[in-house]
Every structure is written in structure tokens, then in C-alpha cells.
Amino acid sequence: MIAIHDRRFYGSFNAGWIEYCIENSIPFKSVNCYDSDIVAQVRDCDALLWHHSHVFYEDVLFAKQLLYSLEQAGKRVYPDFNTTWHFDDKVGQKYLLESIGAPLVPSYVFYSKSAAVDWIQGTSFPKVFKLRIGAGGMHVKLVASREQASALVKRAFTSGFSRYDEWHNLKERLRRYRSGSDSVYGIFKGVVRLLLRPAFVRMQSSEKGYAYFQDFIADNESDTRIVVVGDRALGEKRLVRENDFRASGSGKFVYSNIDLEAVGIAFDVSRRLKLQSAAFDFVFDSHRRPLIVEMSYGFGTTGICNAPGYWTSDLRWHEGRVNPEGWILEGIMRDFGGVRSSL
Ligand SMILES: Nc1ncnc2c1ncn2[C@@H]1O[C@H](COP(=O)(O)OP(=O)(O)O)[C@@H](O)[C@H]1O
Ligand SMILES: [Mg+2]
């Protein structure tokens, strides 16, 4: 029996999991991880699957604590510790990827204003400034000068940054409206958001006490996202927005000419870190070498599920329907035989 936490959001895995269970006659039950007796609810289950998200403050509060607890007790969980401890934490990913010598974009983190200011004096610009959290390019900025960097650092060590950039949200809605993928109602919602902040902002503190920068890797018209689930990998390029360097969240996908070296790196890192699933975002330096900008256990299914096929870890291409949610489930079920819950 598989337990699935079924709170859905745009691009979430839940619908795909449930469809897969029904199609393959796999017994499952829907559970609510927010219930206080959730541990009792999953006692008769072999596994718990929860596509937890940074957009729900409840998930940020305790998804990892619950998943790791069940994992320690011998249940199979998705995502497990190796897969998700670094989720929505770009600073954590920096240490992890540096530790295993993976090709991360050169990245710098400071925990005091003076350390950051010293570094700013001695480095070159432009650089990229990021919060450790966020998605869709919301908290990623190009910093052209020392002055701009200093202003960001000052803020990082005073008021800090809100987890939600309502102006970015409104601009994105206007951009999507112009390209026909958002409605007037969507723009109205963006305006309302200027006044009424979402729960995940109201319920969480602002980001502060650190400053995170990366070298700016110029001249990328897209990023390349490689998603690895078990022995399969999917690829997509996401085109950068007009007059912008950011691809994440642009909604413009291309599935051809995906760099095989990036696919190989994604498989290698996933294997070494024992990841159940991972999306790696790559940009390319002036020698066309792929560099990772961030990684994430979860990924939007909307773009990647249109990929025309997948690679296996021998880097052979297989044309055909892709089903990352189903592959995640297959990975979980493969382990059932060995480990039973001791709960
Ligand atoms: N160091 C960098 N150099 C060049 N482009 C970058 C860099 N970091 C991020 N980008 C661009 O900005 C986008 C968003 O950055 P990313 O770190 O993936 O944050 P998010 O979590 O918002 O997706 C990426 O898709 C990429 O196009
Ligand atoms: Mg990204």
C-alpha cells in the first residue's frame, strides 16, 4: 500500500502518481500529511509520497521532518533524505556540489556584511545575486556594479528580502498576457497580490543574514534543464525572456540539441548523491562547458512531460512517451522487497 499526500499545485506529481496507481492496479490511499495523526495514518503503508513545495508554508515547516522520521523508521519515502535535504536551498547545494567536485557555477556566500563588502571591493562585475530560496527566476538578479552589490548586501543584513516579489509576479503576468498565456483576470490577481500577500509570505520570516552571489555566465540564450529519475533522463532548453538573462519560468521550451555532456553530468551527480529524482539547471561558459546553476528534487511537469523521449544512463536515446511521475513510483516500489517498516 502506498500513501500519497494529495495537495495539488500547478505542475505537481500527485495526479500522475494516482493515475499510475490506478492504471497498474497498485493499492494506494490519499492521506493528509497536515493531520496530527499522520504517522498512524501511514502505519499500514509501505511508502509515503509527498511532492512538497516551497509555495506552501506548512510544507516548509515540517515536510522534511516527517519524511525523514518515517525514513528512519524504515519506510520508503519520496523524497528521501539524500534527495531533498538541499531542496529550495541554493546555499546548501553550493556546499554539496563543491564537496563532490561537481561543475557548479563559481558561487560565493557571506554571513557578515563586512565579509561581503571586502569581497565586493576585490571582485569584478557583473555578478548574479540570489536568495537561497525561490523558483521561476523570482529571486535572481543581475548585479552590474559594486554599488548595486553593496545595496543588496546592506539590505541582506538589515531588513532582508521578502520571500515573494509581488512586482516580479505582476510583470510576469503582464508578459504572459502579451504572449496569450494569461488572462485579464490573471493580471487582476497580480494587482491584488500587491496589497494582499500570499500565506507563505505572511507566515514566514524574510530572508536575511547571508548574501549569495554567482559568477555571471554570459551569452546564454537558454538554460538547459536535465531531469534524472532513476536510470532515465529528460532534457529541455528553456529560452530566456526578452531583454533578460533568466530562463527559469519563461515557459518557452525547446527539446532539440540538448547537450549530452550535461546529461552525463546529471546522471553522474544523481548516482553519486543517491538521488531518487533531480532537475539540474545548466548554463554554458565561453568554452561551451556545462555548469550547474542549481538543482531541485521537484520540477514542473508541464514542460518536461512534452519531451519526445529520454536517455538511459548509457546515454542511449529512447524515443517515446515519458512519464517521470510513474518512474518515481517504480523506483519506490523496486525497494519494497528489502525494507519493511518497523513501525
Ligand atoms: N550564474 C548565472 N549565470 C547566468 N545565468 C544564470 C545564472 N544563474 C541563474 N541564471 C539564469 O537565471 C535563471 C534562474 O536561476 P536559478 O538559479 O535557476 O533560480 P530559480 O530557482 O529561480 O530557477 C536560470 O534559469 C538561468 O537562466
Ligand atoms: Mg532554476
Side-chain angles (χ1 to χ4, degrees):
M1 171 79 87
I2 290 176
I4 297 175
H5 175 78
D6 194 17
R7 183 176 188 178
R8 297 192 186 184
F9 55 94
Y10 186 70
S12 66
F13 300 152
N14 317 29
W17 285 337
I18 288 175
E19 205 175 291
Y20 186 94
C21 285
I22 293 170
E23 268 174 23
N24 295 282
S25 309
I26 298 163
F28 74 96
K29 72 174 183 186
S30 241
V31 294
N32 179 7
C33 286
Y34 303 148
D35 288 346
S36 182
D37 68 346
I38 181 62
V39 172
Q41 282 185 35
V42 299
R43 196 153 280 152
D44 61 342
C45 299
D46 301 281
L48 170 67
L49 282 80
W50 181 0
H51 188 178
H52 65 85
S53 167
H54 62 286
V55 302
F56 299 131
Y57 74 88
E58 303 93 322
D59 296 20
V60 179
L61 276 174
F62 80 101
K64 292 177 186 180
Q65 286 82 344
L66 173 65
L67 289 163
Y68 302 164
S69 300
L70 294 171
E71 185 179 355
Q72 277 202 295
K75 289 233 191 263
R76 290 293 296 151
V77 296
Y78 175 83
D80 66 9
F81 177 83
N82 288 331
T83 305
T84 201
W85 74 257
H86 39 79
F87 171 64
D88 204 30
D89 181 2
K90 293 180 172 67
V91 173
Q93 293 155 29
K94 165 186 147 67
Y95 295 122
L96 181 61
L97 294 172
E98 285 178 355
S99 299
I100 62 162
L104 171 72
V105 171
S107 302
Y108 315 90
V109 66
F110 308 98
Y111 298 103
S112 72
K113 190 176 159 196
S114 58
V117 167
D118 282 353
W119 174 78
I120 287 172
Q121 296 316 319
T123 196
S124 61
F125 286 87
K127 287 278 188 289
V128 176
F129 176 86
K130 300 182 181 186
L131 298 185
R132 69 199 298 190
I133 55 144
M138 182 173 269
H139 300 300
V140 176
K141 290 188 171 62
L142 192 61
V143 184
S145 64
R146 253 179 209 110
E147 292 67 39
Q148 265 182 30
S150 302
L152 287 164
V153 162
K154 187 172 167 208
R155 187 157 163 204
F157 292 98
T158 52
S159 60
F161 300 89
S162 165
R163 291 175 162 257
Y164 185 70
D165 184 339
E166 55 274 19
W167 289 104
H168 171 91
N169 175 53
L170 182 58
K171 269 193 251 164
E172 279 292 279
R173 284 191 178 277
L174 284 165
R175 183 182 67 82
R176 288 202 298 265
Y177 176 72
R178 281 194 292 268
S179 68
S181 57
D182 206 345
S183 59
V184 175
Y185 180 59
I187 293 174
F188 171 73
K189 283 205 288 197
V191 173
V192 170
R193 276 277 167 254
L194 296 179
L195 306 166
L196 193 69
R197 304 185 125 197
F200 81 92
V201 179
R202 286 183 276 116
M203 295 298 159
Q204 294 185 88
S205 52
S206 53
E207 281 290 299
K208 59 163 118 173
Y210 69 93
Y212 183 49
F213 292 90
Q214 287 185 333
D215 283 350
F216 173 53
I217 311 302
D219 302 325
N220 278 271
E221 286 169 6
S222 70
D223 75 355
T224 294
R225 169 163 276 202
I226 307 296
V227 169
V228 178
V229 182
D231 192 44
R232 297 183 178 99
L234 302 166
E236 70 188 0
K237 283 188 202 166
R238 301 178 301 180
L239 305 183
V240 298
R241 298 165 174 85
E242 221 173 293
N243 301 319
D244 200 329
F245 72 104
R246 293 166 307 170
S248 166
S250 75
K252 300 176 191 165
F253 303 105
V254 173
Y255 302 98
S256 52
N257 296 324
I258 304 290
D259 185 80
L260 259 195
E261 195 183 342
V263 178
I265 292 168
F267 269 125
D268 184 53
V269 172
S270 295
R271 184 184 46 79
R272 289 166 69 198
L273 297 178
K274 301 185 173 61
L275 306 177
Q276 295 164 308
S277 67
F280 298 91
D281 296 344
F282 289 92
V283 291
F284 292 82
D285 70 10
S286 52
H287 306 284
R288 294 294 304 155
R289 281 186 302 232
L291 295 172
I292 299 172
V293 295
E294 68 150 346
M295 61 192 272
S296 166
Y297 95 87
F299 46 88
T301 51
T302 325
I304 207 76
C305 283
N306 292 325
Y310 61 89
W311 293 268
T312 36
S313 53
D314 53 7
L315 298 188
R316 274 185 31 219
W317 173 252
H318 306 263
E319 197 98 12
R321 185 173 166 253
V322 307
N323 182 6
E325 302 100 315
W327 301 339
I328 288 170
L329 254 175
E330 283 170 12
I332 287 281
M333 288 188 314
R334 210 169 296 137
D335 299 322
F336 273 4
V339 189
R340 295 290 299 190
S341 170
S342 58
L343 276 175

